[in-house]
């Protein structure tokens, strides 16, 4: 509210007063980070319990057969998902990332496939996508200078007021090794695409510095490693060098992309390690987290 109306607007002041008053009068308060919990206590004298956002159950890794179906569906409208060459077997079905055998129906990922990088946004001033575009320019330069890196397909999903502006910037880029598309996905396709990607990128900065990006929560539900831009409490979600990487500017992001994709798609290196760590963590889902954190409070109250 203060971002849109200003910190001293009467509505903002009334909202602050309302929240402080009723926060102190409540039996229990829930917040989404330990940083917010501390802030509420220090500045408002409000006690709260941290209940982290968790992914819904449908955010999970996408099986290879379902990935192929999704890629072929998206290829009808978006060129980066289309095969670069026709399959040797005319009965086979090929996308940019997968190929289905025409005889036994088995799906494989062909050698030399591009890496799939995904980011999601509401295309607002909260996220500066020029950071990602500059990092991709550096990545393109690395390849031109001889670095052994895969071609990239960068998918930026969502819609919002700045989408046309950034699409204009994207159209001015002339990459040889990178393709960018900005689709608006059907609701059921978004988790499938997250579960099919190789790396997620998050450019969201919390306006308060006290909450966490839900898009990263969903990516982690899909066991998708993430590069995320730094803000104060991000470490409560993204564990640097454990389930992803934290960067501060475009050059640092570019170096991270170079490092993560240097051995792609080999089953070793940081990218694979991060995914294995996410699988091993077996994070609680929303309903399980609620049962574990909130129900004991309600039971105690009774």
């Amino acid at each position: 509210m203060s971002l849109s109306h200003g910190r001293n607007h009467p509505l903002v002041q009334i909202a602050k007063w309302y929240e402080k008053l009723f926060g102190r009068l409540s039996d229990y308060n829930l917040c989404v980070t330990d940083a917010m919990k501390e802030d509420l206590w220090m500045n408002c004298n409000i006690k709260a319990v941290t209940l982290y956002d968790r992914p819904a159950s449908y955010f999970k890794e996408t099986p290879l057969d379902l990935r192929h179906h999704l890629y072929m569906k998206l290829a009808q409208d978006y060129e980066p998902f289309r095969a670069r060459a026709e399959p040797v077997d005319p009965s086979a079905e090929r996308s940019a990332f997968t190929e289905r055998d025409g005889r036994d129906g088995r799906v494989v990922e062909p050698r030399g496939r591009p890496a799939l990088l995904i980011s999601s946004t509401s295309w607002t001033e909260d996220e500066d996508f020029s950071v990602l575009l500059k990092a991709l320019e550096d990545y393109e330069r690395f390849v031109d200078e001889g670095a052994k890196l895969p071609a990239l397909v960068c998918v930026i999903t969502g819609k919002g007021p700045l989408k046309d502006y950034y699409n204009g910037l994207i159209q001015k880029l002339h990459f040889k090794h990178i393709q960018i598309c900005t689709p608006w996905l059907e609701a059921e396709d978004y988790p499938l695409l997250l579960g099919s990607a190789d790396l997620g990128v998050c450019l969201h900065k919390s306006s308060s510095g006290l909450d966490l990006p839900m898009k990263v929560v969903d990516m982690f539900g899909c066991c998708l490693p993430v590069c995320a831009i730094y803000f104060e409490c991000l470490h409560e979600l993204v564990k640097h060098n454990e389930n992803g990487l934290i960067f501060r500017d475009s050059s640092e992001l570019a170096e991270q992309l170079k490092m993560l994709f240097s051995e792609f798609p080999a089953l070793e290196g940081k990218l694979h390690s991060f995914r294995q760590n996410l699988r091993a963590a077996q994070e609680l889902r929303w309903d399980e987290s609620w049962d574990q954190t909130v129900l004991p409070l309600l039971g105690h109250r009774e």
Side-chain angles (χ1 to χ4, degrees), residues 22 71 81 134 166 168 286:
F22 287 97
Y71 296 149
F81 288 92
K134 180 62 173 66
Y166 280 108
W286 171 254

Side-chain angles (χ1 to χ4, degrees), residues 2-256:
S2 63
L3 286 176
S4 58
H5 296 292
R7 297 177 64 88
N8 297 319
H9 192 280
L11 282 177
V12 176
Q13 298 304 312
I14 291 171
K16 284 183 178 180
W17 170 82
Y18 177 91
E19 290 177 359
K20 285 184 180 181
L21 173 63
F22 287 97
R24 291 173 186 151
L25 294 176
S26 61
D27 294 308
Y28 296 105
N29 296 288
L30 302 176
C31 61
V32 294
T33 63
D34 285 340
M36 186 179 291
K37 175 181 176 180
E38 182 178 351
D39 182 79
L40 286 169
W41 176 245
M42 295 296 293
N43 295 318
C44 304
N45 200 32
I46 292 174
K47 289 185 177 180
V49 173
T50 302
L51 178 67
Y52 285 111
D53 282 320
R54 302 294 184 183
S57 58
Y58 48 80
F59 285 98
K60 56 190 175 183
E61 290 186 81
T62 305
L64 188 57
D65 189 72
L66 197 51
R67 285 188 217 174
H68 176 74
H69 178 77
L70 176 66
Y71 296 149
M72 295 303 297
K73 176 182 176 180
L74 293 174
Q76 296 175 25
D77 297 310
Y78 303 105
E79 195 273 337
F81 288 92
R82 296 170 192 159
R84 307 298 185 268
E86 292 298 320
V88 176
D89 181 355
S91 66
E93 184 181 67
R94 178 182 285 184
S95 73
F97 308 94
T98 52
E99 182 174 328
R100 184 190 294 279
D101 191 295
R103 290 162 296 182
D104 61 16
R106 187 170 61 96
V107 176
V108 297
E109 293 180 309
R111 294 183 62 183
R113 74 168 180 89
L116 178 55
L117 183 151
I118 187 167
S119 187
S120 57
T121 179
S122 53
W123 296 110
T124 64
E125 293 179 0
D126 286 346
E127 295 168 297
D128 182 2
F129 266 82
S130 65
V131 173
L132 176 58
L133 299 182
K134 180 62 173 66
L136 293 177
E137 289 185 82
D138 289 344
Y139 186 95
E140 176 89 356
R141 178 172 52 80
F142 295 151
V143 179
D144 287 340
E145 291 173 352
K148 294 183 178 180
L149 295 167
L152 279 185
V153 171
C154 177
V155 179
I156 307 172
T157 71
K159 61 180 179 180
L162 293 179
K163 184 172 183 177
D164 289 341
Y165 168 75
Y166 280 108
N167 270 331
L169 295 182
I170 290 168
Q171 290 171 6
K172 295 177 182 178
L173 299 172
H174 301 288
F175 291 138
K176 294 181 293 182
H177 311 288
I178 300 170
Q179 291 178 292
I180 303 173
C181 66
T182 58
W184 171 247
L185 298 174
E186 295 177 15
E188 63 270 21
D189 288 341
Y190 176 64
L192 294 178
L193 190 58
L194 287 188
S196 305
D198 298 299
L199 180 67
V201 172
C202 176
L203 293 161
H204 174 82
K205 285 188 174 182
S206 168
S207 56
S208 67
L210 299 174
D211 58 349
L212 297 168
M214 194 64 205
K215 67 192 69 179
V216 175
V217 174
D218 294 338
M219 288 174 181
F220 283 172
C222 296
C223 296
L224 178 63
V226 168
C227 291
I229 197 164
Y230 171 83
F231 61 87
E232 287 181 11
C233 69
L234 183 62
H235 66 276
E236 293 189 41
L237 178 61
V238 181
K239 313 296 183 185
H240 186 70
N241 258 329
E242 183 178 324
N243 56 18
L245 297 170
I246 297 173
F247 63 90
R248 293 175 182 268
D249 54 36
S250 61
S251 59
E252 190 171 7
L253 174 59
E255 290 294 336
Q256 290 176 358

